[in-house]
């Protein structure tokens, strides 16, 4: 038991068995800070200049419209001041304070890297860049850089989410303030379509929308929102507003004030539109509008004078999947917001709305292109390459025009009476729409495909293609200041507690200082550090509380995943904590407790501190030994990566025993995740494989394996001072002596410098089990 | 999760929209059946029928519902409600029409949620005779993509229907369904429920399964996205591709040793032979192409559009390999990708799914007058790209090729010395079938997934934009002669003609078009 101090969170690595490496696959040559190393809530080294410009991909009004005047009617690189750079990308550049930030990718094959560039607004000259090497993602066909950077209007800091799930905060000058590896820490999932999403900056918060399969109650894959302190990266809350996703929908939420609350709205992969309290993560209401996912960003539409009251806006959503009440695919609909009074009774939240919430509907199909709101007009590009103009009050279509054969992710933007519309085929259209029609002014053919939305800032129009980043000059507009909405001070009383960090992955040997904050009914902070908060004991063996309230985790602490409770002033709250090994460890699974499973055979759960393992692995007895088995119950889980350690770990070797069942047609595959490399024995291919992205980085050698035979796999990763590395692995029948030579050695010129240990299994079509046993993580030396 | 489906609307749909309705007293046309994909094993998309009505209105939806207002149609014999996505091309035999779709407009309340369906309708009025309603595999998008339904076109011969299911199965069904009792396979109730689930009671309007062969269990197949071949019947054998394909990660084929093409005994479903040419070790994406049959005075060959971009010709008599397995004897293979599609100017391999890169054979190769015609293409998700149309002789040698065409999933039509083809980019081509000389090209402006049909002197094809384009099937072209009919919903399948009636399946409805009296 302890009383929480007002001290900020401090993570101290005390004599770790292995030296911690910088987080992430960056090779910028800059210094690194571990996750959450900046002080919670403090300014750190961030810039203080307030931002003007286009700070998130949806623009300053969150609806794709610009407030600038005097924008160009025609776009040309020949116009003085226009520029372009060779940089493939699929998102939207963001602009503030004379600097343009864009996420793109360069190189190919092994050398491909995502790159966050900071450019001079007037010349396009590169001021700084930060590079990221993909790891363990399923992205194919170079579908990189779909997300966009977000700029904090208050500090000028820049936030980016990379394809493999690193969420990073940089200062205006490129210094990294914090980083989270969402996959290894929280079980964020990866998808071949490359969708990543962008960070929402709202007041003091950085909010991220991911699909993850974590641990405990967050084990089942769901759309989840993770909220961090935007300065420190400390977790403030995580939230699960919907059900099982049918798609990876990672739309950027929009935010609004509703009766003193700060709320965010977002479409989910389960087909719901959800509204969350941005300060607490509570789900306030949701409504299902589709059986599939909603990728597109939402619009907030002011209600009429006789509407529900001030501050409440209706929501316009569009999707491209099956509807609930019609077999016609896709729909745009306007949804009525519940009254603020209805949200006031916490016991009745979340409110589940139904069809009655629908104000109007229009038969439009868009999977990920987002609508633009201009007054009472909604502009939307759809699947078949048409641009539609819809009355926001009635849903009546005023007109539509076909601009291309199709549209995928790209969205229009509006400014100064003009609509700038990029299409998938690389055509870029300038229109001057009115009630009667689109009034096309220009069609420009760009190099590459357009998948992002344009941006408007200081009279320039920007658009990113899969070949270039364009900045078209010719306008004389001036960027308007972007609203920064700090949370207002509370004038109420504390009715709930919030533990910070709320959802944390700690490594053995780490010291974590918790802070308990009191919030009022609107989620505003009443007390930054509640005195006398008491936690519910030590979560696991090897954890102690210091006198000043920090949690000290011993190097040999027993790994765990727990939901801790805290009490203060008659209030209770909880915090999720996962403690993972950080150093040598091994598991032969012999201490697992088994109980009869569905088929009567005794089975046990995988280790609770693993992420992404529940229902995908189980412990069984094979020939008198307890071993880890890939489950076959659900073919959705036929292929699984699970992390068992911490992303900062480096300089280690791994060893595991592997056996597959099968026949001459089908064998299964298994192996380890080792410092962001996947090293596996592939049954059907009779190969030993080292990969990090199956398309970009994959090397194999032949390796014969038979069903029913145990093999031993030993792996090792070494990284040199110049950043290059060698991945080595050897495999042999377990009953035979270990061979001297490595079976495979793979050089990686830009090696991953750290990464969580994990396990991998793939049972094609869930036909035959594959087993792991005697898992070991060992120091390299 | 709370199921917020709006029950009142569903009830309305069940009571109104799902009942096929005859609109007009129609002129009975004489003609032939269309009993399998491509009408026969040549797969040449041409109907000999005359008197085909192409002057009609498909109608309009009632408000924002999915019900079509009968009063707004013209020369429409009947309309049958399908699901929300319909890729299964209809076939017609002996007064019955078979079509694959999904279960989004459920006709039987015992079948709930996302499932895959084959409907057997009466061609007189579109009334339901029976349905095969299949549960999903549960793999998600990788092997049985949500809502895709049955994409296979049923093949009918005598009293049997052969089809490939979304569960990677080859199936034989009774044309009469359960109305004449349960024959052959007896566990339809468990099949309908899915493994491990409580059985679903089977009724008179359910399908009667004769046999089922699971290609994953028997051959190790890892289907990609959906299993969708339209099987070919030749003598006592049926041929099907397996849909073996890449994993979720789209880079690697998890089952490199599974065949891409198999031949089965049509009476028992026993696998008689399999392709052993290594197709599955060269898969770009999946093998979805359906086989065709080349028969001349001197040769008989099964023609298969390979997942590696080659057309394969297999002899129909298998041979035994060194391990004692019956394998198909490869007569020849022809690479439909010009060399420069596979390697760039520096000799480096071009990446798949890039605009200038190589493609698989996705549309069905067709056979006409001893020659094979094939196009290359890719999953539309990969976008547009360069294509190639090749004419190959019976010995596997190129006669001519035409590179102006873009990636295509379409199956072609040859008639009166003219070859009609379409591509995903939306262009329709008319070429000289002997020489490959271009007569004309028409741009529909919309993506084309389906195939050309030539009937009664007209070329017809549907588009993703929901239009049926009709052009005189002549070498002369005039834009003034092109007609577009709004079909109310996207068209991802192909029109057919049987007994003089034009059938068009949109995503949501099956239209029977016939001139009113």
């Amino acid at each position: 038991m302890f009383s929480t101090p007002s001290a900020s969170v401090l993570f101290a690595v005390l004599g770790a068995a292995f030296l911690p490496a910088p987080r992430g696959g960056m090779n910028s040559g800059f210094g690194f800070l571990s996750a959450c190393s900046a002080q919670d809530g403090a300014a750190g080294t961030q810039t203080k200049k307030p931002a003007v410009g286009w700070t998130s991909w949806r623009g300053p009004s969150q609806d794709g419209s610009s407030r600038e005047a005097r924008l160009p009617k025609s776009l040309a690189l020949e116009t003085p001041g226009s520029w372009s750079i060779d940089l493939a990308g699929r998102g939207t550049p963001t602009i503030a304070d004379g600097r343009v930030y864009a996420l793109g990718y360069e190189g190919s094959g092994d050398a491909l890297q995502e790159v966050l560039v900071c450019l001079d607004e007037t010349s396009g000259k590169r001021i700084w860049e930060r590079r990221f090497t993909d790891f363990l993602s399923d992205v194919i066909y170079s579908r990189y850089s779909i997300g966009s950077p977000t700029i904090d209007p208050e500090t000028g800091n820049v936030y980016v989410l990379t394809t493999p799930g690193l969420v990073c905060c940089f200062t205006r000058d490129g210094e990294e303030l914090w980083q989270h590896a969402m996959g290894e820490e929280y079980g964020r999932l990866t998808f071949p379509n490359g969708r990543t999403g962008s960070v929402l900056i709202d007041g003091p918060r950085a909010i991220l929308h991911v699909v993850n399969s974590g641990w405990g109650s967050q084990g089942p894959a769901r759309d989840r929102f993770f909220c961090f302190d935007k300065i420190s990266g400390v977790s403030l809350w995580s939230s699960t507003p919907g059900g099982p996703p049918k798609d990876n929908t990672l739309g950027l939420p929009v935010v609004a004030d509703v009766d003193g609350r700060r709320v965010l709205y977002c479409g989910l992969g389960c087909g719901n539109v959800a509204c969350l309290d941005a300060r607490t993560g509570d789900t306030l209401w949701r409504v299902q509008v589709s059986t599939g996912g909603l990728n597109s960003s939402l619009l907030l539409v002011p209600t009429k004078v006789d509407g529900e009251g001030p501050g409440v806006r209706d929501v316009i959503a569009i999707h491209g999947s099956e509807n609930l009440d019609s077999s016609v695919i896709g729909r745009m609909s306007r949804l009525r917001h519940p009254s603020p009074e209805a949200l006031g009774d916490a016991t009745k939240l979340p409110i589940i709305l139904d069809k009655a919430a629908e104000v109007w509907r229009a038969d439009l199909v868009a999977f990920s292109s987002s609508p633009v709101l201009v007054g009472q007009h909604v502009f939307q590009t759809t699947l078949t390459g048409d641009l539609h103009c819809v009355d926001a009050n009635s849903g009546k279509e005023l007109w539509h025009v076909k601009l291309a054969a199709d549209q995928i992710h790209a969205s229009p933007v509006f400014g100064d009476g003009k609509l700038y519309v990029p299409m998938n085929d690389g055509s870029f259209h300038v229109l001057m729409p009115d009630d009667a029609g689109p009034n096309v002014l220009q069609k420009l053919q760009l190099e590459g495909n357009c998948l992002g939305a344009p941006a408007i800032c200081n009279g320039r129009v920007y658009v990113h293609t899969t070949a270039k980043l364009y900045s078209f000059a010719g306008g004389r507009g001036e960027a308007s200041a972007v609203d920064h909405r700090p949370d207002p001070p509370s004038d109420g009383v504390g009715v709930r507690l919030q533990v910070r960090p709320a959802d944390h992955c700690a490594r053995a040997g780490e010291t974590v200082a918790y802070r308990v904050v009191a919030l009022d009914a609107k989620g505003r902070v009443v007390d930054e550090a509640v005195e006398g908060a008491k936690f519910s004991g030590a979560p696991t063996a090897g954890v102690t509380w210091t006198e000043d309230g920090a949690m000290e985790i011993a190097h040999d602490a027993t790994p765990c995943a727990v939901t801790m409770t805290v009490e203060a002033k008659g209030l209770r709250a909880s915090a999720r904590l996962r403690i993972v090994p950080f150093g040598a460890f091994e598991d032969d699974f012999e201490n697992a407790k088994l109980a009869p499973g569905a088929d009567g055979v005794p089975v046990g759960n995988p280790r609770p501190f693993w992420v992404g393992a529940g229902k995908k692995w189980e412990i069984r007895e094979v020939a008198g030994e307890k071993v880890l088995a890939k489950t076959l119950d659900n073919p959705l889980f036929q292929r699984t990566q699970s992390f068992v350690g911490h992303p900062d770990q480096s300089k280690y070797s791994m060893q595991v025993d592997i056996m597959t069942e099968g026949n001459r047609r089908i064998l299964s595959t298994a192996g380890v995740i080792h410092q962001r490399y996947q090293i596996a024995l592939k049954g059907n291919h009779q190969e030993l494989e080292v990969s990090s992205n199956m398309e970009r980085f994959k090397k194999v050698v032949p390796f014969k394996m038979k069903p029913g035979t145990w093999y031993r796999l030993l792996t090792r990763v070494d990284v040199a001072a110049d950043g290059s590395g060698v991945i080595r692995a050897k495999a042999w029948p377990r009953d035979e002596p270990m061979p001297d030579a490595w079976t495979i050695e793979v050089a990686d010129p830009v090696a991953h410098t750290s990464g969580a240990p994990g396990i991998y299994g793939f049972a094609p079509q869930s036909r035959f089990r594959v087993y792991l046993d005697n898992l070991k993580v060992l120091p390299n030396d | 999760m709370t199921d917020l489906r709006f029950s009142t609307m569903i009830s309305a749909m069940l009571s109104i929209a799902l009942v096929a309705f005859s609109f007009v007293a129609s002129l009975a046309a004489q003609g032939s059946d269309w009993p399998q994909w491509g009408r026969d094993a040549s797969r040449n998309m041409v109907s000999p029928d005359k008197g085909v009505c192409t002057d009609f209105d498909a109608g309009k939806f009632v408000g924002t519902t999915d019900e079509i207002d009968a009063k707004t149609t013209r020369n429409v014999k009947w309309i049958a409600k399908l699901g929300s996505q319909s890729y299964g091309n209809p076939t017609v035999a002996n007064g019955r029409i078979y079509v694959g779709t999904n279960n989004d407009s459920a006709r039987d309340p015992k079948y709930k949620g996302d499932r895959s369906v084959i409907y057997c309708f009466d061609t007189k009025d579109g009334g339901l005779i029976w349905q095969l309603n299949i549960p999903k595999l549960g793999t998600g998008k990788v092997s049985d993509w949500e809502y895709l339904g049955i994409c296979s076109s049923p093949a009918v011969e005598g009293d049997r229907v052969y089809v490939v299911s979304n569960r990677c199965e080859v199936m034989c069904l009774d044309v009469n369904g359960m109305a004449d009792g349960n024959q052959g396979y007896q566990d339809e109730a468990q099949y309908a429920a899915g493994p491990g689930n409580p059985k679903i009671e089977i009724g008179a309007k359910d399908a009667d399964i004769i046999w089922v062969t699971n290609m994953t269990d028997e051959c190790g197949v890892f289907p990609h996205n959906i299993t969708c071949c339209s099987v070919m019947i030749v003598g006592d054998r049926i041929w099907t591709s397996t849909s073996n394909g890449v994993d979720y990660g789209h880079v690697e084929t998890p089952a490199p040793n599974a065949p891409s093409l198999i031949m089965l005994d049509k009476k028992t479903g026993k696998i008689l032979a399999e392709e052993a040419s290594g197709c599955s070790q060269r898969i770009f994406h999946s093998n979805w192409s359906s086989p065709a049959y080349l028969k001349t005075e001197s040769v008989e060959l099964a023609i298969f559009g390979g997942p590696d971009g080659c057309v394969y010709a297999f002899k129909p008599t298998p041979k035994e390999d060194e391990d004692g397995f019956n394998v198909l004897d490869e007569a020849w293979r022809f690479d439909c990708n010009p060399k420069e599609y596979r390697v760039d100017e520096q000799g480096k391999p071009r990446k798949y799914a890039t605009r200038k890169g190589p493609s698989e054979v996705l549309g069905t190769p067709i056979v006409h007058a001893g020659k094979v015609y094939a196009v290359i293409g890719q999953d539309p998700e990969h976008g547009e790209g360069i294509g190639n149309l090749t004419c190959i002789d019976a010995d596997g040698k190129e006669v001519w090729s035409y590179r102006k065409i873009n990636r295509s999933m379409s199956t072609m039509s040859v008639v009166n010395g003219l070859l009609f083809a379409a591509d995903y980019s939306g262009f329709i081509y008319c070429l000289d079938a002997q020489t490959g000389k271009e007569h004309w090209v028409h741009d529909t402006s919309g993506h084309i997934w389906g195939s050309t049909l030539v009937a009664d002197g007209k070329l017809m094809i549907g588009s993703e934009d929901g239009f049926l384009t009709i052009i005189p099937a002549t070498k002369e072209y005039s834009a003034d002669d092109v007609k577009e009919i709004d079909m109310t919903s996207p068209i991802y399948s192909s029109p057919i003609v049987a007994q003089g009636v034009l059938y068009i399946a949109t995503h949501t409805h099956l239209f029977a078009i016939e001139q009113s009296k």
Side-chain angles (χ1 to χ4, degrees), chain A residues 502-515:
Chain A
D503 191 346
H504 183 58
C505 172
R507 58 195 184 199
E510 180 175 318
T511 297
V512 186
Y514 278 94
R515 184 158 61 94

Side-chain angles (χ1 to χ4, degrees), chain B residues 7 67 145 231 233 235 259 357-358 382 401 431 483 487 512:
Chain B
S7 56
E67 180 191 353
W145 195 293
V231 305
I233 309 168
H382 301 167
S401 67
L431 311 179
K483 188 174 177 180
M487 296 301 300

Side-chain angles (χ1 to χ4, degrees), chain A residues 106-177:
Chain A
E106 295 176 327
S108 61
D110 293 2
L112 189 147
Q113 287 187 302
E114 285 188 301
V115 55
L116 171 66
V117 295
C118 171
L119 310 172
D120 178 81
E121 179 182 31
T122 56
S123 67
K125 182 183 174 186
R126 202 170 288 204
I127 299 171
W128 55 261
E129 67 177 33
R130 299 293 173 266
R131 292 185 169 269
F132 308 90
T133 303
D134 187 16
F135 60 89
L136 301 176
S137 84
D138 284 330
V139 171
I140 52 166
Y141 309 151
S142 298
R143 289 166 173 165
Y144 288 98
S145 309
I146 288 181
S148 301
T150 304
I151 304 167
D152 176 17
E154 180 188 19
T155 63
N157 292 342
V158 183
Y159 299 79
V160 69
L161 176 64
T162 71
T163 289
L166 299 179
V167 56
C168 308
C169 169
F170 297 98
T171 67
R172 177 178 183 270
D173 296 320
E175 181 184 356
E176 187 179 79
L177 294 181

Side-chain angles (χ1 to χ4, degrees), chain A residues 140-141, chain B residues 145 222-225 243-247 250-254 282-288 307-308 352 360 362 377-382:
Chain A
I140 52 166
Y141 309 151
Chain B
W145 195 293
F222 189 99
H224 182 76
N225 288 166
S243 295
N244 193 38
V246 296
D247 181 20
H250 279 77
V251 176
E252 185 171 281
T253 300
R282 299 185 294 272
I283 290 175
F284 286 129
H285 194 199
S286 185
N287 68 86
W288 290 310
D308 55 353
Y352 177 69
E360 64 266 29
L362 196 51
Q378 296 186 23
D379 184 339
E381 192 171 299
H382 301 167

